[in-house]
Amino acid sequence: MDETRLTALPPLHALRSFHAAAQCGRFRDAASALGLTESAISHQVRKLEDYLGVRLFERRGNAVQLTAAGASYFEDIDPPFAAIRRATERLAGPGGRVTLTLPTSLVTMWLIPRLMELEAALPEIKLQLAPSNRIIDLKREQIDLALRHGKGSWPGIASVHLFNEQTFPVCKTGLLPKNADPQEALRSVRLIVNAFHKEEWVEWAQARQIEPPSLDNAMVFDGTEQIIEAVAGGVGLGIGRRPMIDRWIDDGRVEAPFGTADESGYAYYLAWRDDTELSVPARQVARWFVAACKGAKAAEAMFAPAAA
């Protein structure tokens, strides 16, 4: 064998460190992803720069930015890294880690009650949750899957519809009389406002063709969980968001005095990068989510076992 063909490869530990740092945008995050120290990542990147004879990163405080040469090199080596991962998964089997980001309210009020079911269905997969109310860059932060709230269109993202969001007033069971008049209720009961959706009471009233309520005496909360706890405690009338509110209605703690049919115009989607093929474990998790929301036939059509 011609030894020069082997020595033409750069140091592989250095190459892996560079690839992780380019994805993460920070040596510290790359170190965390690879189980190394930040200084080890820096040393390996410097080793690769010495080997290539070019600078790959510009250091900017705690972050790093690829140079033109570094960006070009990353674009060339990223596809082979993905190919190696897929080849390894085909040989090693479906077990592995899957990272999932989703809104914090969805974790608490929708996923956690189903978590044991998911783990029982996919015991070989280690699901790592990354709850966040910001839109995470899936490539930069090395996230496999995301549950996103919106209209299903994000640049560079493929998505599958899971369920529509419905928004409607809810209160502690028995707080309002049966068949209460909505207009009178908005005047007589304290309203609870979501700080991130301050116009939702006005929008709901306009959709019902009734006078928008005054919010002068309203109580404002930052999160869906706080709002539902306040509603269940009898503080006042709040806007519930389906499917998060369903469990509270089902067990009788809260009720929807004016019905539950109002669509918000938004939905929840399962999302992933459109420039990369899902790993075998990620496809299995994706299939479970679609089955849980839309049924087994829909899941099989979208993520057939044979395609994994």
Side-chain angles (χ1 to χ4, degrees):
M1 180 179 291
D2 185 355
E3 291 186 4
T4 60
R5 295 177 63 189
L6 294 178
T7 56
L9 288 173
L12 296 184
H13 285 301
L15 196 65
R16 189 173 183 228
S17 295
F18 162 73
H19 184 261
Q23 283 187 316
C24 296
R26 286 171 174 250
F27 285 176
R28 181 176 60 195
D29 295 342
S32 177
L34 296 182
L36 301 173
T37 64
E38 187 173 349
S39 62
I41 294 291
S42 180
H43 171 75
Q44 291 292 346
V45 168
R46 200 158 46 243
K47 183 177 180 180
L48 184 61
E49 289 176 328
D50 291 342
Y51 178 88
L52 297 172
V54 296
R55 290 192 68 181
L56 299 172
F57 289 105
E58 295 287 349
R59 278 70 170 177
R60 298 192 174 181
N62 292 329
V64 290
Q65 182 174 334
L66 287 166
T67 63
S72 176
Y73 194 53
F74 175 73
E75 290 299 320
D76 286 339
I77 70 168
D78 190 39
F81 265 85
I84 291 169
R85 187 191 69 243
R86 291 193 298 271
T88 303
E89 289 165 354
R90 282 195 294 271
L91 286 178
R97 187 184 72 169
V98 175
T99 53
L100 170 72
T101 183
L102 67 170
T104 56
S105 59
L106 207 60
V107 175
T108 305
M109 306 179 74
W110 189 85
L111 181 57
I112 286 178
R114 295 167 173 81
L115 205 51
M116 295 298 290
E117 178 186 341
L118 190 159
E119 290 181 340
L122 302 171
E124 73 281 4
I125 291 175
K126 300 179 181 69
L127 185 64
Q128 181 175 331
L129 300 180
S132 177
N133 290 324
R134 64 186 176 88
I135 295 183
I136 286 179
D137 185 321
L138 304 186
K139 182 174 183 178
R140 177 169 179 162
E141 301 194 33
Q142 297 182 292
I143 300 292
D144 298 304
L145 295 169
L147 293 186
R148 285 190 171 177
H149 174 259
K151 298 197 174 182
S153 178
W154 299 277
I157 297 295
S159 63
V160 171
H161 175 272
L162 294 180
F163 44 77
N164 289 340
E165 180 187 62
Q166 292 173 299
T167 56
F168 45 83
V170 290
C171 64
K172 182 178 180 179
T173 300
L175 181 69
L176 292 175
K178 296 290 183 183
N179 302 316
D181 175 66
Q183 187 77 78
E184 179 59 30
L186 294 186
R187 292 196 193 101
S188 61
V189 178
R190 172 184 279 176
L191 300 184
I192 299 171
V193 175
N194 188 323
F196 298 105
H197 303 278
K198 291 183 177 179
E199 298 302 314
E200 61 187 4
W201 274 115
V202 172
E203 293 168 358
W204 183 84
Q206 289 174 341
R208 287 294 184 105
Q209 297 183 326
I210 62 178
E211 183 182 345
S214 169
L215 301 179
D216 290 345
N217 194 39
M219 186 167 286
V220 180
F221 289 102
D222 287 339
T224 300
E225 302 96 323
Q226 298 172 16
I227 290 170
I228 294 178
E229 288 286 357
V231 166
V235 172
L237 195 62
I239 295 287
R241 314 186 89 80
R242 173 165 279 174
M244 276 81 77
I245 194 67
D246 287 350
R247 186 162 50 98
W248 297 70
I249 293 176
D250 292 343
D251 66 19
R253 281 179 285 178
V254 304
E255 62 182 357
F258 315 122
T260 62
D262 300 325
E263 298 281 348
S264 73
Y266 293 89
Y268 286 91
Y269 295 83
L270 181 69
W272 61 93
R273 289 168 51 192
D274 66 4
D275 65 347
T276 188
E277 182 181 343
L278 286 176
S279 68
V280 172
R283 288 183 67 83
Q284 289 189 309
V285 173
R287 189 165 182 262
W288 183 90
F289 273 103
V290 174
C293 298
K294 303 181 82 71
K297 286 187 178 179
E300 199 161 325
M302 294 180 194
F303 300 100

